[in-house]
Amino acid sequence: MGFFDKKHEKDSPMGNLRAHIGTFFYFVKVGKSKFKHKGRVGEIFADMDNTQFLFQQATSGTMYDMKKKLDYALWDAATHKYTEDLQNLKAELLKAVDEGEESGHFEEEKKKEEEEARKKEEEERAKEEEEPADWRSHIKGQMKEAEEKAKQEEEERAKEAETPVAKSEDETLTEEDCRELWRIIQGLEREYKEMNHIADDWFAVHGKKNGCLGALVALTVIPIGAIYGLYQIL
């Protein structure tokens, strides 16, 4: 079932369809936020978000019956576009996984995380075993430790500020990024499948009727998706 508009999911096929569309774009917006600095993947999510009006217009209904209208031309245009977007996302994910395996980058990340966890565990164990001579020594030791930690953090911040970050490295998908992207893609495909099942059933009953205006919009609407998205934001 859809994430949004649950109370209306059982009211009608259109209500159910809009609920799944809402969930689909929930995943799109999550992906847009998480991968906005990740090169091509971020661009795909941004474009998907900018052209969501395709589904909105296809299911907007008429002034006489908002629940039963589904425009075939607009729906067909939307499904063609988003099918391609999903394929592009999976292609980018597969590319990132292959590159990570070939370069050994994922393995390095894993070793680094394990090493940091081991050091942290050893430091905590050493603190627990340490028995200060008295409370005065204990407080002095903690104060000194806090000063050293603050000094170290300041030095690390200064070092990071002086070191420029290469754009290509910033856009590289880490192992964690790949796992998150795969989770989002699975959510998108799950909702997309439900959306298309509902639409197919509706067209089987009502036919693939659409007006001339719908056909015209379907042919011209995709190239102006980005412009429409900016208009909505502004």
Side-chain angles (χ1 to χ4, degrees):
M1 303 303 287
F3 182 86
F4 292 91
D5 200 26
K6 283 183 177 290
K7 64 181 180 179
H8 295 123
E9 284 186 352
K10 297 181 180 179
D11 289 355
S12 70
M14 288 301 98
N16 197 3
L17 179 57
R18 293 188 187 107
H20 285 291
I21 291 173
T23 310
F24 181 85
F25 282 105
Y26 164 78
F27 284 111
V28 169
K29 291 181 184 299
V30 170
K32 179 182 177 182
S33 175
K34 288 183 176 293
F35 296 98
K36 60 183 177 181
H37 298 306
K38 293 296 181 176
R40 177 61 181 150
V41 173
E43 292 173 1
I44 293 172
F45 276 118
D47 183 59
M48 292 174 75
D49 188 46
N50 287 341
T51 52
Q52 62 180 294
F53 70 96
L54 282 170
F55 282 123
Q56 293 171 350
Q57 291 184 353
T59 60
S60 63
T62 68
M63 62 183 296
Y64 304 105
D65 193 339
M66 293 296 291
K67 291 186 176 181
K68 295 182 179 179
K69 178 66 174 177
L70 184 60
D71 189 288
Y72 175 71
L74 284 167
W75 183 263
D76 189 53
T79 54
H80 272 84
K81 181 188 186 306
Y82 283 95
T83 296
E84 183 178 346
D85 288 334
L86 287 170
Q87 290 172 345
N88 289 338
L89 283 176
K90 287 191 283 188
E92 290 297 320
L93 174 58
L94 185 60
K95 178 183 175 182
V97 171
D98 289 341
E99 290 177 351
E101 289 178 346
E102 290 176 3
S103 65
H105 181 63
F106 290 171
E107 190 63 27
E108 291 177 4
E109 284 184 356
K110 185 177 180 181
K111 288 181 179 179
K112 184 178 180 180
E113 290 175 358
E114 291 175 349
E115 181 64 19
E116 290 177 351
R118 185 185 63 79
K119 287 182 178 180
K120 186 176 180 180
E121 185 178 348
E122 289 179 354
E123 290 174 359
E124 291 177 352
R125 188 184 302 114
K127 289 179 182 179
E128 292 176 356
E129 294 175 353
E130 181 181 355
E131 295 182 1
D134 55 30
W135 64 270
R136 298 177 184 84
S137 299
H138 189 199
I139 291 177
K140 288 181 180 179
Q142 288 186 332
M143 292 175 65
K144 183 178 179 181
E145 182 181 343
E147 290 176 358
E148 291 176 351
K149 185 177 180 180
K151 183 179 178 181
Q152 184 179 359
E153 289 177 350
E154 185 64 29
E155 290 175 352
E156 290 177 352
R157 281 195 293 269
K159 186 177 180 181
E160 290 177 358
E162 294 174 358
T163 306
V165 179
K167 184 179 180 181
S168 59
E169 293 179 356
D170 183 53
E171 293 182 353
T172 300
L173 295 180
T174 65
E175 180 179 355
E176 183 180 354
D177 290 334
C178 289
R179 292 184 183 278
E180 178 66 10
L181 179 56
W182 176 233
R183 185 189 71 81
I184 293 173
I185 289 174
Q186 287 178 302
L188 287 168
E189 289 193 319
R190 182 174 62 250
E191 296 303 317
Y192 195 63
K193 181 179 178 181
E194 292 297 324
M195 289 156 54
N196 279 287
H197 282 169
I198 296 170
D200 288 344
D201 290 343
W202 195 93
F203 289 127
V205 173
H206 299 278
K208 299 178 179 180
K209 299 177 181 179
N210 53 269
C212 295
L213 179 60
L216 177 62
V217 173
L219 294 173
T220 60
V221 77
I222 294 178
I224 64 171
I227 298 176
Y228 182 89
L230 291 173
Y231 173 76
Q232 290 292 85
I233 294 172
L234 296 175

